[in-house]
């Protein structure tokens, strides 16, 4: 995949009306500070297109990135940051649920999890929510892989697979925004989906 263009086309708040893009949407979900913005920057080959922050809970909107005028990366608000308070968490939760339940253009849900840690309760809830809502498991991107030694990698992948109760066919990809590890494999997943005839997708 060659990234020719990227445009942050829409930024939606809690009460915004969800658009019908008519193009394939690849949804990015993950806990606060898991590295979604860094993933987006690496994916679109831009150093600082999506704003990164060391402060969890910074993204409070649904962001639509139009890539190559062909598909959208849809960045959901980070979940699981307790300091936002239960009322704010509930608002974000409703917004995420509304999008996942109503969008007719979702092609794939991509869940980002920090490879250094076992899945959190919120990670498991999101994974199960996707499975129950769509009938298939999300693609799991294991961020910050450069923080691990190579000898630790397989053990952590296995730990996370078990923690999510994921099947052996569920795709888990160690990824590093720093070294671009895993990016070629991720591009292939996108290319494979985008190359399918439109009427073959559920």
């Amino acid at each position: 995949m060659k990234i020719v263009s990227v445009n942050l086309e829409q930024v939606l708040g809690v009460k915004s009306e969800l658009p019908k893009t008519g193009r394939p949407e690849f949804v990015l979900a993950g806990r606060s500070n898991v590295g979604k913005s860094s993933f987006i920057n690496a994916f679109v080959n831009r150093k600082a297109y999506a704003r990164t922050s060391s402060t969890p809970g910074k993204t409070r909107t649904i962001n639509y990135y139009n890539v190559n005028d062909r598909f959208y990366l849809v960045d959901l608000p980070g979940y699981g940051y307790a300091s936002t308070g239960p009322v704010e968490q509930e608002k974000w939760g409703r917004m995420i649920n509304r999008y996942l339940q109503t969008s007719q253009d979702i092609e794939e849900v991509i869940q980002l999890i920090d490879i250094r840690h076992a899945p959190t309760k919120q990670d498991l809830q999101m994974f199960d929510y996707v499975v129950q809502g769509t009938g298939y498991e999300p693609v799991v991107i294991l961020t910050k892989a450069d923080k691990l030694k190579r000898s630790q990698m397989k053990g952590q992948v296995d730990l996370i697979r078990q923690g999510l109760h994921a099947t052996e066919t569920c795709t888990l990809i160690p990824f590093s925004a720093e070294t671009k590890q895993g990016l070629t494999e991720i591009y292939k997943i996108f290319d494979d989906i985008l190359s399918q005839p439109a009427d073959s997708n559920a």
Side-chain angles (χ1 to χ4, degrees), residues 38-59:
S38 296
F39 170 79
I40 293 169
N41 289 332
F43 184 93
V44 302
N45 196 26
R46 305 289 193 275
K47 287 188 177 180
Y49 195 83
R51 293 182 179 180
T52 60
S53 174
S54 59
T55 304
K58 184 175 179 60
T59 302

Side-chain angles (χ1 to χ4, degrees), residues 26-43 73-76 78-79 108-120 122-124 126-127 130 138-144 160 164 171-173 175-177 186 190:
F26 294 82
V27 185
L28 304 178
R31 69 173 179 79
S32 297
N33 215 29
V34 74
K36 285 196 283 98
S37 295
S38 296
F39 170 79
I40 293 169
N41 289 332
F43 184 93
L73 287 179
V74 182
D75 183 21
L76 300 181
Y79 55 77
E108 186 64 78
V109 178
I110 299 169
Q111 184 173 4
L112 286 79
I113 294 176
D114 190 328
I115 195 171
R116 299 172 297 176
H117 309 295
T120 65
Q122 290 85 4
D123 288 329
L124 182 56
M126 175 58 75
F127 187 89
V130 173
V139 171
V140 181
I141 305 298
L142 304 178
T143 62
K144 308 183 182 181
I160 292 169
L164 293 173
T171 301
L172 279 71
I173 304 175
F175 169 79
S176 168
I186 294 164
F190 277 69

Side-chain angles (χ1 to χ4, degrees), residues 3-129:
I3 304 299
V4 177
S5 64
V6 57
N7 178 39
L8 177 54
E9 201 165 90
Q10 300 198 58
V11 178
L12 305 181
V14 174
K15 296 182 179 180
S16 298
E17 182 176 349
L18 294 169
K20 295 181 180 179
T21 65
R23 289 181 177 157
E25 295 174 7
F26 294 82
V27 185
L28 304 178
R31 69 173 179 79
S32 297
N33 215 29
V34 74
K36 285 196 283 98
S37 295
S38 296
F39 170 79
I40 293 169
N41 289 332
F43 184 93
V44 302
N45 196 26
R46 305 289 193 275
K47 287 188 177 180
Y49 195 83
R51 293 182 179 180
T52 60
S53 174
S54 59
T55 304
K58 184 175 179 60
T59 302
R60 304 188 182 197
T61 53
I62 297 180
N63 299 333
Y64 284 73
Y65 295 89
N66 182 340
V67 182
N68 292 348
D69 284 326
R70 190 180 182 194
F71 65 91
Y72 286 88
L73 287 179
V74 182
D75 183 21
L76 300 181
Y79 55 77
Y81 184 51
S83 294
T84 56
V87 174
E88 193 73 9
Q89 284 188 58
E90 184 181 352
K91 288 180 181 178
W92 294 3
R94 286 202 304 268
M95 178 165 59
I96 291 171
N97 291 345
R98 181 160 58 97
Y99 168 70
L100 292 175
Q101 290 172 2
T102 61
S103 176
Q104 298 178 354
D105 297 307
I106 295 174
E107 289 290 340
E108 186 64 78
V109 178
I110 299 169
Q111 184 173 4
L112 286 79
I113 294 176
D114 190 328
I115 195 171
R116 299 172 297 176
H117 309 295
T120 65
K121 179 181 178 182
Q122 290 85 4
D123 288 329
L124 182 56
Q125 287 175 341
M126 175 58 75
F127 187 89
D128 287 345
Y129 182 84

